[in-house]
Amino acid sequence: MSSALLRPGRLIVGAVAALSLLLLGQPQAHAASWGAPQTVNSWNVINGRWTANNELETYTPGCVWYEGNTLVIKTYKSGGTYYSGRVESKALYGYGTYSFTANMPNGQGLLPAVWAAYLNPWLPEFDAAEIVGQNANTVYQTSHDTNNAQTQFSKTNSAGWTNAYHRYSFTWWPDHIDFAVDGTITGTKWYTTPAGVGMHFIVNTAVGGDWPGNPNDSTWATGDGARYLKVSSITYTPYFP
């Protein structure tokens, strides 16, 4: 440490700099560390009965399609079978922002979600948004580490989150994850993932199970007896530490 006295001008500059850090928080990463946003639209479409978390749905490719650039997931009941859709990106992605502009369905016993996970093995997992269909005023965002220790954030909206488009995202940094809704940070989890981990983008609507409970007749009380999850934009913006 230098023993030289600071001149008044330097004191003012130092105070302004300190105040700027307090107002702005931690310095942002240099722009050159970011790559261009990439559209994610290459998927593995899941086909088969899903039983994790005591869920009831059977995933089928017939419940997944595009309308223009919008990914559509259909969920409905036929006889005693609940059909839905689930896609997982073919590619693994690294640090950066994972963003979904999604219109989530409501309905008793539904759990629409936009999220990401390593998959092989499953964890870690970062959920950009999950909505319990009968509680449309709350969106949940959750970090699951490799031991499935969970840190969850939530944001309420008196008008409800379903049946309208919102942007759900998280930014995965080397030492933490920032979750956001419509561009506003909702929570930060400090966490370092193991070397070699990547993330698959995932979009699905689960039916029943431990969290949302079972559907009932009101779930399918729509014009065509189905509920739809629509995602108009799915992007990955890489960050290079």
Side-chain angles (χ1 to χ4, degrees):
M1 179 184 296
S2 171
S3 61
L5 294 175
L6 288 174
R7 295 178 181 177
R10 294 182 181 177
L11 285 172
I12 292 171
V13 171
V16 170
L19 179 61
S20 297
L21 285 176
L22 286 174
L23 292 175
L24 298 177
Q26 295 185 355
Q28 295 298 306
H30 192 278
S33 297
W34 289 91
Q38 305 171 17
T39 298
V40 179
N41 57 14
S42 180
W43 305 104
N44 292 316
V45 181
I46 304 305
N47 187 15
R49 177 77 169 86
W50 200 268
T51 58
N53 306 311
N54 295 310
E55 295 168 20
L56 304 175
E57 73 275 4
T58 295
Y59 289 125
T60 175
C63 284
V64 178
W65 67 86
Y66 272 90
E67 294 178 356
N69 293 322
T70 298
L71 174 68
V72 180
I73 302 288
K74 178 181 180 180
T75 305
Y76 69 103
K77 181 182 180 182
S78 178
T81 303
Y82 301 97
Y83 292 101
S84 191
R86 175 186 173 114
V87 296
E88 302 169 353
S89 68
K90 291 183 178 179
L92 275 171
Y93 299 86
Y95 298 130
T97 297
Y98 294 60
S99 180
F100 306 79
T101 301
N103 184 331
M104 303 283 223
N106 64 313
Q108 167 68 41
L110 298 185
L111 188 68
V114 290
W115 51 298
Y118 189 23
L119 294 183
N120 188 24
W122 185 279
L123 297 169
E125 171 188 328
F126 307 136
D127 303 314
E130 294 176 290
I131 294 178
V132 177
Q134 63 269 31
N135 183 22
N137 290 350
T138 304
V139 60
Y140 297 95
Q141 299 178 295
T142 310
S143 165
H144 303 248
D145 69 14
T146 52
N147 297 314
N148 205 26
Q150 301 177 30
T151 301
Q152 187 172 80
F153 306 97
S154 64
K155 186 175 179 64
T156 59
N157 178 3
S158 60
W161 293 107
T162 59
N163 302 309
Y165 280 98
H166 294 278
R167 183 159 60 91
Y168 306 104
S169 64
F170 65 84
T171 300
W172 176 25
W173 305 90
D175 58 358
H176 71 283
I177 302 98
D178 288 325
F179 293 92
V181 175
D182 291 332
T184 300
I185 292 180
T186 55
T188 296
K189 171 61 178 177
W190 293 91
Y191 171 57
T192 301
T193 52
V197 168
M199 292 283 151
H200 292 276
F201 282 74
I202 306 171
V203 178
N204 73 294
T205 298
V207 181
D210 300 333
W211 192 6
N214 291 340
N216 58 29
D217 289 344
S218 71
T219 308
W220 320 112
T222 64
D224 65 351
R227 301 282 179 167
Y228 297 89
L229 166 56
K230 298 182 178 182
V231 192
S232 63
S233 175
I234 304 174
T235 61
Y236 166 68
T237 305
Y239 170 67
F240 305 105

